[in-house]
Amino acid sequence: MAITKPTDTTKIRPNEGAVTHRFVVGTGGVAAGDIVANGTDGVTACDGNGTAANHIAVGVAVQTGAAGAYIDVVVFGPISGCTSGTIGKLVYPDDTTAGTPSETASTNKHSIGWMKTADTLFVQPRYVA
């Protein structure tokens, strides 16, 4: 089974020990569960093969927000609400659909974290050579 984008965004929540930071949302907005990058005007959906500022994942959005809104983003630690993840697998921003998680290495090789359980992602952004 491979991880998919959460369909029930009400289940996206930080677990005990998660570190969250508040960010302003950039152009285009983000949805709860999106892997996000810090762009020039705020966080945007992270593009796994992008060349702009939005290709390096910084965390996972806990809330949905339109451009200019403030949302919480888990930048380190466990977050629940994922769907069908493979325990122990690294998770990357998808090359095709920005903000979507993938267990296939992204072109830019920036992992967002690893699957602790089938529905819990441990957010730990890093470059994977």
Side-chain angles (χ1 to χ4, degrees):
M1 228 182 237
I3 192 168
T4 58
K5 190 166 182 172
T7 53
D8 184 353
T9 57
T10 64
K11 293 184 179 182
I12 302 296
R13 65 186 183 287
N15 295 155
E16 185 176 346
V19 177
T20 62
H21 286 275
R22 187 150 281 224
F23 288 88
V24 66
V25 177
T27 304
V30 296
D34 276 357
I35 296 171
V36 296
N38 200 12
T40 56
D41 65 345
V43 290
T44 59
C46 187
D47 184 355
N49 65 351
T51 57
N54 69 336
H55 76 278
I56 300 174
V58 296
V60 177
V62 177
Q63 299 139 327
T64 297
Y70 284 87
I71 62 165
D72 291 328
V73 173
V74 172
V75 295
F76 183 83
I79 185 169
S80 294
C82 299
T83 307
S84 305
T86 305
I87 297 171
K89 282 278 206 171
L90 288 176
V91 176
Y92 304 85
D94 189 67
D95 278 353
T96 306
T97 307
T100 301
S102 174
E103 291 177 352
T104 301
S106 63
T107 300
N108 290 325
K109 298 181 182 173
H110 286 91
S111 167
I112 187 58
W114 52 276
M115 292 307 298
K116 182 176 177 184
T117 67
D119 70 348
T120 302
L121 169 66
F122 193 95
V123 177
Q124 186 179 16
R126 61 186 170 180
Y127 177 77
V128 180

